[in-house]
């Protein structure tokens, strides 16, 4: 074996052959690549050269209209946003869909409740809070036969398109979406399409007829409509799709109940978007629901059902604010912002920040996201404010702190210029560690693109931040010879650039001051 321009040394050990890479070449190649590709560094790698560009439809978040944005929807929102960001970065076309729970018997209850306890002024000023209060009040009377009957009548009128009833429902829906959009803006999340169960009323009827035509719909003795999804076709595994009173089942995604609307929505999206893959992001309690949904679509003759995927996640436990157990997402966002602001105010440097509240919001959100993304998505985890908000250790605060620190280094010493960098000045072990790590970024993106798990990127960015923190201590820019200072500045610029790229994929906005 001969050395060449890439391999500078070859030696034999006990049962091994050791290759030493030309370190100047390593430094030059990595820095040039990061500089040239910018925000596309890693995604232009040959690892992705054989991956076909596809169109993906991603359904995520999907809260229930007229109920406050529940904390349970946080995971679906940030996980779906991450998957969409990653696919877009890799050159795929993505349609982000929010499929709202905006139909069903609960609207019968809510309509009756609003007639009894509603207040139009409160509805306009804080719609979700007010509708939630109304829903809680009417729910107490939900067992009362008269209330039940009124709720059924209200919902029947909705189904029959009664104008007055529809206009109340539409107001609930429109005001709720307005408030959701405001919350999504705080999370840095957007959607291409707000869809919902209400869109598929007529189409659900078509699905019913298709199931009947194909002989897939069977009636039980009680008159319930079921589809046999068992392998041996012996009714050992059935899926309920219709109540005995003839109404289709809505939004009851638990209990192996499939609504015609879910089937209609999947078929409609294929007709509308001609997607290559469709991903549903919900908690793992709905795994059976999606398994059966895909099975029924396949029985109906839709082979594309094999390209549908359910990305499931576990539950977050122990999320409390100072006021106690948390139910609503906005309370968490306010809490993390105020705690972060408090932490920042107690440090000496915060006084110079232009917009401390905005910064606290971004850093707080990074803390929530990193704590959520550190493990496997399917795992439940115990939430801890103290752990999430530590400025040292493996947290989102530490990532933001590292980014801000590297940014201020560049501000202080002027921007690095790659043209005249002497790479011979970057041969210290701590510089080589950072360079080697930067070289691995594409592998990490590839792993995440294969299993849609953010933890690979999180772990990579945390290691990068720790390596950059060590290098920042041992390789000072200030007081070094000009060519050494310039080379180190280039190294830190490359580290900050890749750190920012990775953070953005996770749904985090990097801050420049902290």
């Amino acid at each position: 074996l001969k050395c060449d321009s890439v391999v500078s040394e070859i030696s034999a050990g006990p049962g091994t052959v050791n290759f030493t890479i030309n370190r100047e070449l390593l430094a030059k190649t990595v820095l040039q690549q990061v500089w040239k590709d910018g925000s596309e560094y890693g995604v232009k790698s040959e690892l992705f050269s054989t991956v076909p560009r596809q169109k993906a439809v991603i359904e995520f978040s999907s809260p229930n209209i007229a109920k406050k944005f529940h904390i349970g929807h946080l995971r679906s929102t940030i996980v779906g946003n991450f998957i969409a960001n990653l696919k877009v970065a890799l050159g795929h076309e993505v349609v982000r869909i929010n499929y709202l729970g905006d139909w069903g018997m609960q609207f019968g209850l809510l309509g009756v409740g609003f007639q009894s306890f509603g207040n139009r002024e409160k509805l306009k000023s804080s719609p979700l809070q007010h509708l939630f209060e109304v829903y809680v009040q009417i729910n107490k009377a939900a067992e009362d036969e008269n209330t039940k009957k009124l709720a059924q009548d209200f919902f029947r009128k909705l189904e029959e398109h009664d104008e007055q009833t529809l206009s109340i429902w539409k107001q609930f829906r429109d005001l709720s979406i307005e408030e959701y959009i405001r919350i999504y803006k705080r999370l840095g999340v957007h959607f291409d399409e707000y869809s919902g169960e209400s869109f598929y009323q007529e189409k659900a009827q078509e699905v019913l007829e298709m199931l009947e035509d194909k002989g897939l719909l069977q009636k039980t003795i009680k008159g319930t409509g079921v589809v046999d999804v068992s392998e041996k076709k012996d009714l050992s595994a059935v899926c309920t799709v219709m109540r005995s009173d003839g109404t289709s089942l809505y939004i009851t995604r638990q209990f192996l109940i499939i609504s015609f609307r879910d089937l209609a929505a999947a078929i409609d999206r294929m007709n509308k978007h001609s997607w290559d893959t469709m991903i549903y992001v919900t908690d793992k309690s709905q795994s059976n629901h999606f398994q059966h949904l895909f099975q029924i679509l396949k029985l109906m003759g839709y082979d594309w059902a094999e390209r549908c995927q359910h990305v499931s996640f576990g539950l977050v436990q122990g999320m409390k604010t100072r006021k106690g157990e948390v139910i609503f997402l906005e309370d968490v966002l306010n809490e993390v912002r105020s705690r972060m602001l408090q932490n920042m105010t107690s440090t000496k440097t915060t006084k110079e920040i232009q917009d401390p509240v905005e910064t606290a919001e971004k850093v707080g959100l990074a803390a929530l996201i990193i704590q959520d993304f550190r493990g496997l998505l399917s795992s439940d985890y115990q939430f801890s404010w103290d752990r999430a908000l530590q400025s040292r250790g493996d947290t989102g605060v530490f990532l933001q702190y590292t980014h801000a620190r590297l940014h201020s280094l560049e501000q202080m010493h002027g921007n690095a210029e790659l043209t005249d960098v002497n790479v011979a000045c970057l041969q210290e072990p701590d510089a080589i560690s950072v360079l080697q790590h930067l070289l691995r970024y594409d592998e990490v993106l590839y792993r995440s693109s294969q299993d849609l798990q953010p933890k690979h990127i999180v772990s990579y960015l945390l290691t990068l931040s720790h390596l950059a923190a060590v290098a920042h201590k041992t390789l000072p820019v200030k007081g070094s010879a000009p060519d050494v200072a310039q080379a180190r500045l280039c190294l830190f610029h490359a580290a900050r650039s890749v750190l920012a790229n990775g953070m953005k994929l996770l749904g985090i906005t990097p801050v420049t001051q902290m």
Side-chain angles (χ1 to χ4, degrees), residues 4 34 101 117 141 157 211 252 268 283 313 368 370 392 416 449:
D4 60 12
V34 174
F117 312 111
K157 280 183 187 170
L211 287 169
T252 30
D268 179 57
D283 72 76
F313 52 82
L368 288 180
I370 295 299
R392 294 279 177 270
S449 74

Side-chain angles (χ1 to χ4, degrees), residues 200-214:
Y200 297 105
Q201 261 177 286
E202 279 78 21
K203 289 196 168 80
Q205 194 54 41
E206 291 167 23
V207 169
L208 169 63
E209 285 159 17
M210 278 176 76
L211 287 169
E212 282 176 332
D213 291 349
K214 289 183 184 288

Side-chain angles (χ1 to χ4, degrees), residues 67-103:
K67 290 186 180 176
K68 280 200 77 172
F69 203 135
H70 194 279
I71 188 60
H73 294 285
L74 173 66
R75 281 202 100 174
S76 174
T77 307
I78 60 177
V79 172
N81 188 47
F82 157 71
I83 294 171
N85 290 345
L86 181 63
K87 290 208 171 276
V88 167
L90 296 174
H92 303 294
E93 190 184 339
V94 171
V95 181
R96 303 163 187 246
I97 294 182
N98 200 339
Y99 184 64
L100 303 165
D102 65 353
W103 203 252

